[in-house]
Amino acid sequence: MRDTRESRLLLVLLIAVAFALITVDIRGGEDSPVDGARQGAATVFGPIESGVSAAVDPVGNAVSAIRESGDRHDRLAALEEENAALKARLGSDDRSRSRLKQLDKMLKIAGQGQYGIKGAQVIAIGAAQGFSWTITVDVGAKDGIKRDMTVLNGEGLVGRVTTVGPNTATVLLASDPDFTVGTRMESGDELGFASGQGDRPLRVELLNGKAEVKKGDRLVTFGSQADRPFVPGVPVGVVSRVDPSGGGLTRTLYVTPYVGFTKLDIVGVVVEAPKKDPRDTVLPPKPKPTPRPTVTVTVTPSPEAPVDGQNQQEQ
């Protein structure tokens, strides 16, 4: 339509009519004369509006879903980071608790035996000086560590210091085949020498070939002259097997060590020997025997079974 004077006049007239109808509709309220026309228009154009809405809503929902998906992804990533940090803290806490437990047990042994110790951490394992079973600890000459000092942990005897550097030291483990320590039996005072056998039990040769020894007996270190390389009273292990006495000068025992040599972490180097031999006081309490349950069987005779007297009368 061209922009002419007649078209502009028609547009003004239509706008005026529209305002007039709106005014009449508002003033009429529920009885508005244009209500019927409005309902008819709703009947005609309602389905078209619903169809357009149905077509447009999925697009809007998809856009909303994409936006929410991004938010969910961010929240998921944040939660994963929090979980990873929590797991790391828990792992660190578990390790710290384990070390604190080891340290507590070691300090308990040191207190019972009156050993002056220098705490250390195992930082390496291996054949450092040509030995098969050795560890390296993070203390050395600057910490007062010297060669031939006893090394223990919360379980018992670990080994002895063989090589000392400024900040580290090498420890020969009691499980090494070249390791030998003097031992004393609990209570019986029988003396002997324990030697390492790698991952097998320690081999102990008692000086008394007729000594009365049984499985479950326990041993501690006898001690060395001037307490080097071994201080007395450190728990060694429990007798697991006794060879039959063959009438020889010595008797052979096999001892399961208290210390697990494959899982060492916190250890202590004895830098000051006790003034008095602690003897058996450092040994852990003996485990209480578990009582075996007794089973009582009660036999009730069947009422149909004949007694001996009746059998004799019938015969």
Side-chain angles (χ1 to χ4, degrees), residues 94-307:
D94 289 342
R95 188 175 183 184
S96 297
R97 282 193 291 268
S98 174
R99 288 181 169 179
L100 286 174
K101 185 177 180 181
Q102 294 178 53
L103 181 60
D104 183 65
K105 292 179 68 174
M106 186 173 68
L107 291 176
K108 184 177 180 181
I109 278 187
Q112 290 174 335
Q114 295 298 298
Y115 307 122
I117 64 171
K118 181 68 177 181
Q121 182 180 347
V122 177
I123 58 174
I125 60 173
Q129 301 295 332
F131 300 121
S132 299
W133 292 73
T134 62
I135 57 173
T136 302
V137 295
D138 62 352
V139 292
K142 292 182 179 180
D143 303 289
I145 307 303
K146 298 179 181 179
R147 180 183 170 87
D148 286 337
M149 283 185 168
T150 307
V151 182
L152 50 76
N153 68 359
E155 307 295 336
L157 180 67
V158 172
R160 63 179 176 87
V161 176
T162 56
T163 306
V164 181
N167 300 299
T168 62
T170 301
V171 178
L172 180 67
L173 300 180
S175 55
D176 189 275
D178 291 333
F179 185 94
T180 302
V181 58
T183 62
R184 184 176 57 78
M185 299 292 301
E186 178 186 13
S187 302
D189 292 335
E190 295 289 350
L191 303 182
F193 292 94
S195 301
Q197 296 194 111
D199 55 359
R200 295 178 295 167
L202 304 176
R203 179 188 176 97
V204 179
E205 295 290 338
L206 292 183
L207 300 181
N208 181 4
K210 298 180 180 180
E212 294 294 331
V213 187
K214 63 183 183 300
K215 182 178 179 180
D217 287 346
R218 305 184 296 178
L219 297 86
V220 298
T221 56
F222 178 67
S224 307
Q225 185 176 6
D227 300 312
R228 300 274 290 271
F230 300 108
V231 294
V234 180
V236 174
V238 181
V239 175
S240 56
R241 186 168 65 112
V242 181
D243 279 356
S245 176
L249 298 178
T250 63
R251 189 166 191 186
T252 304
L253 318 175
Y254 296 91
V255 173
T256 301
Y258 283 115
V259 173
F261 298 106
T262 60
K263 50 182 180 181
L264 294 170
D265 188 8
I266 303 298
V267 299
V269 182
V270 181
V271 294
E272 185 178 350
K275 295 180 180 179
K276 182 180 179 181
D277 186 348
R279 298 186 66 81
D280 304 333
T281 59
V282 185
L283 284 169
K286 286 186 177 181
K288 296 181 180 179
T290 304
R292 296 183 179 179
T294 56
V295 179
T296 304
V297 179
T298 303
V299 179
T300 304
S302 172
E304 298 179 357
V307 297

